Amino acid sequence: MTTLTAPVGDALRWTLVDSWTIARAELLHWVRNPSLIASSVAFPVMFVLLFGFVFGSAIAVPGGGDYREFLMPGMFAQAMVNGAAATVAVVAANRALGVTDRYRSMPVARSAPLIGRSLADMVGSVLDLVVLVACGLLVGWTTRTGVGSTLAAVGLLLLLRFAMIWVGIFLGLLVSQEAAGLAWAPLFPLTMIANTFVSPAQMPPVLGAVADWNPISATVTATRQLFGNPGAELTATWPAQHAMLLAVLWPVAIVAVFLPLAVHRYRRTSG
């Protein structure tokens, strides 16, 4: 048994070491380019200010409650999803600049570049979420539950982000650097047709049905419940009533589809 398990343990250890080495290199590049950090947080912060103060004064939450408290869980989830656009851009740029080919020619674990990319993006996502939480606190949002529920909500948001990272990696391996900025455009409407800004009950029936089953809506509803914010009880549809379950199942399903696709595409990529 020892002779069989030792190589497996060594392979796993070196995969983790190689993955973290690549993730650290990606993070160092990110830190040395402050404009990348600024651009990643500027868009969601702008949305918070725009909808919280400009449009928020004209939007009422059905059933009552402060609109900014209703809004912020939606903004958190939207930022986690939109972060995949940066993943697409970086992965596509790495292919165009030969970084991907360099990784493939180095004596590193074959899965390390993809795992390292996902680790780096997760660290960046935590920073994005910290900035957004701080912004939310400044505009009047707050969590009204205990530490456990708050951490559970953060965990669901990061789970959604992890799932979207693999969508971004796959798309980045699929498109050219020039097309990377447009690759996310067809998916952008899905970030808007959700319960982020208004309840699906306030939408036309078809859009409301799409919003109800949108993976983003599941995470938003679940985090509203966990944060104790208004709006979680606005719709009586099956997806809304089982939001906690769907907030886990949707990301797991997305990872189950796009992680193998990304790995397969990476193995076939020649630059």
Side-chain angles (χ1 to χ4, degrees), residues 165-181:
I165 284 172
W166 289 102
V167 176
I169 290 175
F170 173 67
L171 291 177
L173 292 170
L174 197 64
V175 302
S176 66
Q177 185 178 10
E178 294 75 16

Side-chain angles (χ1 to χ4, degrees), residues 5-18 109 111:
T5 57
V8 174
D10 289 344
L12 178 60
R13 180 169 63 88
W14 283 114
T15 297
L16 293 176
V17 170
D18 291 343
S111 58

Side-chain angles (χ1 to χ4, degrees), residues 173-256:
L173 292 170
L174 197 64
V175 302
S176 66
Q177 185 178 10
E178 294 75 16
L182 299 176
W184 191 246
L187 297 176
F188 181 73
L190 288 179
T191 68
M192 304 298 291
I193 306 175
N195 60 356
T196 310
F197 304 109
V198 297
S199 168
Q202 296 173 284
M203 301 178 184
V206 174
L207 290 182
V210 173
D212 274 332
W213 285 98
N214 192 327
I216 302 172
S217 294
T219 299
V220 172
T221 300
T223 52
R224 281 178 181 146
Q225 292 174 1
L226 291 168
F227 285 136
N229 295 148
E233 70 292 340
L234 292 181
T235 56
T237 60
W238 192 94
Q241 292 176 344
H242 298 83
M244 292 285 185
L245 175 64
L246 292 177
V248 175
L249 292 183
W250 270 122
V252 169
I254 292 171
V255 171

Side-chain angles (χ1 to χ4, degrees), residues 43-61 65-75 78 132 135-136 138-141 196-198:
F43 187 71
V45 169
M46 179 189 68
F47 259 56
V48 170
L49 298 177
L50 180 64
F51 280 88
F53 288 102
V54 179
F55 297 150
S57 59
I59 301 176
V61 180
D66 183 78
Y67 179 72
R68 295 188 191 101
E69 289 195 22
F70 171 86
L71 172 69
M72 288 311 302
M75 295 307 307
Q78 188 183 60
L132 265 181
C135 184
L138 289 175
V139 301
W141 169 82
T196 310
F197 304 109
V198 297

